[in-house]
Amino acid sequence: MARDNKRPLPQGEQFFTPGATGLRKAVEQRSAVPMTFLFTQVPRWVAPVVLVILLLAGFAVANPIGGVAVLPVIAFIGWLGYLSWPSLGIGGKLLRVAMLTFLVLLVATRFGAF
């Protein structure tokens, strides 16, 4: 008898949003491959270290190069925020909006908007 090595999802958890249609369904399906690669093939420490280095570069360099360094951080945080949005409480949603707002303002200052 073949043994099933797959780990079941915890009760009540699903990888895709139940009943999702349109843009959410497309984003979730297209995100499955990069998310699987990121969380299974790349060492766990790589993504946080790269994001911290880019964010520190954005803080340290006060010109458009610093702003460009923060753009991948905004994209990553926005991507994860969008994917997790349906399962978040109000506190989690506010935290993600605040983080993205802060990062966008940081980029805007680096590009000379303020």
Side-chain angles (χ1 to χ4, degrees), residues 3-105:
R3 190 173 147 187
D4 188 13
N5 290 329
K6 293 182 182 177
R7 208 170 25 165
L9 291 173
Q11 192 68 289
E13 298 285 328
Q14 294 185 10
F15 185 72
F16 296 110
T17 303
T21 59
L23 179 64
R24 171 158 294 285
K25 184 175 182 178
V27 169
E28 288 178 354
Q29 288 176 343
R30 290 184 186 266
S31 295
V33 172
M35 190 180 302
T36 302
F37 175 77
L38 182 64
F39 295 124
T40 62
Q41 301 300 314
V42 177
R44 288 184 177 186
W45 58 269
V46 171
V49 168
V50 169
L51 292 173
V52 167
I53 289 170
L54 289 171
L55 190 58
L56 290 175
F59 284 129
V61 180
N63 61 35
I65 295 172
V68 170
V70 178
L71 290 176
V73 178
I74 291 174
F76 187 78
I77 299 287
W79 174 59
L80 287 181
Y82 181 80
L83 291 175
S84 64
W85 194 263
S87 64
L88 295 174
I90 189 71
K93 289 178 181 180
L94 287 174
L95 183 63
R96 278 158 183 80
V97 169
M99 175 64 81
L100 285 172
T101 302
F102 170 75
L103 292 173
V104 167
L105 290 173

Side-chain angles (χ1 to χ4, degrees), residues 63-68 71 106-114:
N63 61 35
I65 295 172
V68 170
L71 290 176
L106 175 66
V107 169
T109 60
R110 297 306 183 240
F111 283 114
F114 299 107

